Amino acid sequence: MPLVPMRVLLDHAAENDYGLVALNVNNMEQIQAIMEAAQETDSPVIIQASRGARKYSEDAYLRHLMLAAVELNPNIPIAMHQDHGNSPATCFSAIQQGFTSVMMDGSLGEDGKTPMDYEYNVRVTRQVVEVAHAVGVTVEGEIGALGGIEDEHGAGLSEEEIKLHLTDPDQAEQFVADTGVDALAVAIGTSHGAYKFKKKPTGEVLKMDLIEEIHRRLPDTHLVMHGSSSVPQELQDIINQYGGDIKQTYGVPIEEIKRGIKHGVRKINVDTDNRLAITGAIRKVLAEHPEEFDPRKYLGPAREAMKKVCVERMIAFGQAGNAGKIKVKTCKEMVDFYIDLEKKKAKK
Ligand code: G3H
Ligand code: 13P
Ligand code: ZN
């Protein structure tokens, strides 16, 4: 089957009360790890690429790797998503590259760092929705700003500053009405990267009750949790055991994500956990076999370590066992869906 619009997967997840992990990729081994995990667990898949990933893979390598994933896994519905599009132009170029879903992150400016006002966010997001829906491509928007890494996206907010940029439920409701996004990323206290929390997060810093409130107001909008790596202790330990230097840190507990899934969270973004797994596996091979220089000898275990993380998340979030159950729609079919949706809205 061709790549499917992400909305098809999110709708199925919403109808059947589960969440989908959205996994960042940059290279072949990461895509293979995800597809192996999906085959093992019969999971539908969301693969996402940041602007950095597209640059690293020069777009064309990524596009052809995704075609390979589709060819080798005809039974698995796969959505290809632009993570943190910083401008309409980035989203449009992703659509041209065959992405079936785009995120217009208008919560930040084009520099990917500066928190922007509501009007700017609505303007750029609405612009992307109009173009994307006309070709059946899914759109994710964001309201509120996350903390964390400053490299290309993320306002670099501290744990304290994050509190000032949490999603306002009134604004979230208005934003969905003003833009028509399919999915909405919300800021609930998470941040990108490994250093999210200095201790296991309580409800004071990780505002899961905010998710409940937003879902109550927007029951038909698919909610997205960014910065949702769990940063498992064992992955930190492997890196440190083999010469790395990861300072003690805490991520988003899986139980909290499961709570989110009960309240409308359908897409959960995870990148850091896979980066940690890959790095730990490579460090271990090189430390134990300093004579080794065949890249397959360390990239193979790295792929296996990432696959393990993917399998665990696919099972935990409930997407396992659903690949074969989804009635797939193409982007072309989604065009009619959006036309009908607009007609229904106009009648109201
Ligand atoms: O949200 C960010 C993802 O982890 C991708 O990060 O821009 O370094 O590829 P990146
Ligand atoms: P993590 O850094 O927690 O894996 O978050 C990834 C993410 O949100 C990608 O958009
Ligand atoms: Zn993100």
Side-chain angles (χ1 to χ4, degrees):
M1 70 181 84
L3 289 171
V4 302
M6 189 171 75
R7 168 94 192 222
V8 175
L9 305 188
L10 299 178
D11 283 350
H12 189 264
E15 283 154 23
N16 296 279
D17 301 316
Y18 65 89
L20 291 141
V21 62
L23 299 152
N24 288 74
V25 299
N26 301 272
N27 64 15
M28 180 181 78
E29 283 78 7
Q30 291 178 304
I31 295 174
Q32 289 175 320
I34 295 168
M35 295 319 302
E36 284 176 21
Q39 282 298 354
E40 197 169 297
T41 59
D42 187 39
S43 295
V45 160
I46 300 174
I47 290 183
Q48 58 188 9
S50 66
R51 276 188 299 140
R54 287 181 56 194
K55 195 165 152 202
Y56 182 79
S57 66
E58 299 169 73
D59 267 337
Y61 285 108
L62 186 63
R63 186 173 70 249
H64 287 278
L65 287 169
M66 290 308 301
L67 292 178
V70 165
E71 182 182 321
L72 295 171
N73 300 276
N75 56 324
I76 303 285
I78 310 171
M80 182 65 195
H81 176 75
Q82 165 78 58
D83 192 22
H84 293 284
N86 64 323
S87 65
T90 298
C91 296
F92 300 155
S93 70
I95 295 171
Q96 277 172 331
Q97 291 293 328
F99 284 58
T100 53
S101 179
V102 291
M103 175 186 194
M104 177 62 240
D105 184 356
S107 71
L108 302 175
E110 271 200 45
D111 63 0
K113 289 179 189 164
T114 313
M116 298 300 276
D117 63 24
Y118 180 81
E119 287 69 30
Y120 168 88
N121 196 352
V122 167
R123 180 164 53 77
V124 289
T125 306
R126 181 72 220 161
Q127 203 182 332
V128 171
V129 167
E130 274 164 17
V131 172
H133 284 183
V135 289
V137 166
T138 310
V139 181
E140 173 184 336
E142 175 162 331
I143 191 94
L146 270 75
I149 48 177
E150 289 191 67
D151 183 15
E152 294 208 322
H153 47 77
L157 306 174
S158 68
E159 222 178 293
E160 282 307 305
E161 289 166 331
I162 288 174
K163 290 181 189 155
L164 306 173
H165 292 272
L166 296 175
T167 302
D168 169 6
D170 285 339
Q171 216 175 46
E173 209 176 338
Q174 191 59 45
F175 185 76
V176 170
D178 287 346
T179 59
V181 290
D182 303 277
L184 183 68
V186 289
I188 53 160
T190 65
S191 53
H192 291 116
Y195 299 101
K196 300 183 194 303
F197 305 111
K198 296 192 188 78
K199 51 184 199 269
K200 192 177 169 191
T202 60
E204 262 310 289
V205 285
L206 181 59
K207 303 268 181 206
M208 297 309 295
D209 46 355
L210 197 50
I211 292 258
E212 296 181 19
E213 175 61 13
I214 298 167
H215 180 53
R216 202 178 57 71
R217 292 168 185 235
L218 291 166
D220 299 326
T221 302
H222 303 300
L223 302 181
V224 181
M225 276 175 69
H226 280 246
S228 290
S229 276
S230 300
V231 198
Q233 188 63 48
E234 65 269 22
L235 295 183
Q236 298 179 46
D237 291 346
I238 293 175
I239 292 180
N240 289 338
Q241 186 184 343
Y242 294 102
D245 184 14
I246 302 286
K247 308 272 180 276
Q248 182 62 52
T249 178
Y250 296 84
V252 182
I254 300 279
E255 317 85 77
E256 297 298 333
I257 297 173
K258 285 185 175 170
R259 184 174 155 202
I261 293 170
K262 286 202 186 104
H263 297 279
V265 171
R266 300 295 158 224
K267 175 172 180 277
I268 302 106
N269 285 15
V270 171
D271 185 5
T272 295
D273 285 350
N274 288 322
R275 291 177 172 191
L276 293 171
I278 287 169
T279 302
I282 292 176
R283 279 192 173 279
K284 182 169 189 294
V285 172
L286 295 181
E288 288 177 346
H289 302 280
E291 75 291 357
E292 196 50 76
F293 60 89
D294 176 349
R296 292 171 297 188
K297 293 290 183 346
Y298 50 86
L299 294 180
R303 181 173 63 196
E304 206 47 41
M306 171 160 166
K307 176 187 164 188
K308 185 167 175 286
V309 172
C310 296
V311 165
E312 285 168 6
R313 299 296 175 277
M314 286 169 176
I315 293 172
F317 301 162
Q319 78 201 76
N322 281 291
K325 296 184 188 158
I326 298 175
K327 194 176 167 310
V328 168
K329 280 193 199 138
T330 60
C331 284
K332 219 163 162 232
E333 288 168 299
M334 286 308 283
V335 173
D336 294 331
F337 168 84
Y338 290 119
I339 290 173
D340 284 348
L341 204 64
E342 283 304 318
K343 279 187 192 152
K344 278 184 201 147
K345 269 192 210 160
K347 268 191 196 157
K348 272 187 189 167

